[in-house]
Amino acid sequence: MTMAAFVAFANVACSSDDDNATENYTPTLPTPKYESEAVAYTIPETEADHITTSVPGAPAMTGVNITESGQAVFELDGGKTFKTYKITSISGNTYTLENGTIQKVTSAMAPTRGTSTVQLIINVTIELEGGQQCNYSTGNEAVSAQENKTATSDDIEAYLCRTWTILGVTIEYQEDGKQAVFREFDNGNLKEMADYANEQGAGLTANELAELNRNISEVVVDRNGLIVFNYSNRPSDAAQWSWANSEKTQLRIKLKDSEMGNKFLSDNTAIDIAFKDTRCVLKLKTRITGSKNYNVALALRLQSKD
């Protein structure tokens, strides 16, 4: 449901400026500071049990991604919750974060790409759903994790994999047999977008509208297959991404938590992408059928933060 907040009514809807982004493929995007450090660590359930928490019943830590833009994205409870924190420095195998430290303990040189088993010493504080601050710690003992590094293979992936801030959202709603209605929003407030869609007859329930009370602040994409939607007022959502076509003009996402999905969004949702200068447009589309049949279109207009 939370990911559906992002794509409740999605199609390819672009202003004339967005169309130019497709016609004039001229990105001018700098290389993110930590591009060479990007890595994903997956913590098996048996190892997660060895990470102590200061809050009883806190969700287990099941992974962490170090992104090109200098963030650590923590996966909790098998992908039901994600938390993003800034990296303040990387020195050797030690990551110093705003919320603690992660140290990779290696006995031999790890491969520059591919998967290997490493040992991690973790001591970080993460804010839980209820606002509690929870310390996750391995003490002085390391836990085993799977390290995955995927080399950037071309310019398009280098353009995409970074942190993006939201400039606005463009939405188009068209009920069968009626003229399309088009509107632009100068922020990432999904509740405002949902209220507008309901005014056009979308029929969202009160619970769905409450769930859509989310304000997108950032979109983080990393080359190890993670896409994260950070909100200013809610915990993050995340999905795995892969290329949907050989031209690399469309992504396909798979939800990390199947409970995120509903009739507006399911696994294998496709997202068109386009670049221009330091901007990116993510364009989503779907067909809604029921008591009313309609197409809706949503385009997220993004600016590179790097």
Side-chain angles (χ1 to χ4, degrees), residues 93-299:
N93 289 325
T94 299
Y95 307 96
T96 301
L97 318 175
E98 62 178 336
N99 64 321
T101 59
I102 299 173
Q103 182 181 0
K104 182 173 69 173
V105 181
T106 58
S107 57
M109 183 66 70
T112 56
R113 68 185 69 180
T115 302
S116 60
T117 300
V118 299
Q119 304 293 309
L120 298 178
I121 294 176
I122 299 170
N123 185 21
V124 296
T125 299
I126 294 177
E127 183 178 349
L128 303 180
E129 288 278 358
Q132 291 175 291
Q133 299 293 322
C134 180
N135 179 248
Y136 287 78
S137 177
T138 61
N140 294 322
E141 300 295 327
V143 294
S144 295
Q146 292 298 310
E147 178 188 69
N148 188 73
K149 292 179 71 72
T150 302
T152 300
S153 61
D154 56 34
D155 286 343
I156 297 177
E157 290 180 3
Y159 297 148
L160 176 66
C161 296
R162 62 188 60 241
T163 297
W164 303 91
T165 57
I166 189 81
L167 292 176
V169 178
T170 301
I171 185 172
E172 185 176 14
Y173 175 99
Q174 185 173 26
E175 187 178 341
D176 285 357
K178 295 186 178 181
Q179 185 176 354
V181 181
F182 178 88
R183 185 170 174 181
E184 292 187 62
F185 298 87
D186 294 328
N187 54 55
N189 190 324
L190 299 175
K191 177 62 162 54
E192 187 176 344
M193 180 197 74
D195 287 339
Y196 169 75
N198 250 13
E199 291 171 5
Q200 307 306 314
L204 284 170
T205 66
N207 286 340
E208 288 171 327
L209 287 173
E211 189 62 35
L212 287 165
N213 185 21
R214 297 174 183 274
N215 196 357
I216 301 173
S217 58
E218 294 179 338
V219 178
V220 180
V221 187
D222 79 12
R223 63 183 177 183
N224 292 297
L226 188 68
I227 182 167
V228 183
F229 302 95
N230 288 327
Y231 305 106
S232 62
N233 62 337
R234 293 286 187 94
S236 305
D237 288 331
Q240 291 296 124
W241 72 270
S242 59
W243 292 114
N245 57 13
S246 59
E247 296 80 14
K248 296 188 176 182
T249 58
Q250 190 178 77
L251 308 179
R252 193 169 299 281
I253 65 171
K254 182 173 179 59
L255 302 177
K256 293 289 287 186
D257 177 9
S258 60
E259 293 180 5
M260 293 177 184
N262 61 21
K263 68 176 183 178
F264 303 121
L265 176 71
S266 61
D267 283 344
N268 298 317
T269 294
I271 304 176
D272 292 329
I273 61 171
F275 301 94
K276 183 180 181 183
D277 301 326
T278 58
R279 291 174 292 141
C280 176
V281 178
L282 299 181
K283 314 169 195 178
L284 303 97
K285 52 190 174 182
T286 193
R287 168 78 172 167
I288 305 299
T289 59
S291 58
K292 292 182 179 180
N293 299 324
Y294 52 89
N295 295 313
V296 285
L298 183 69

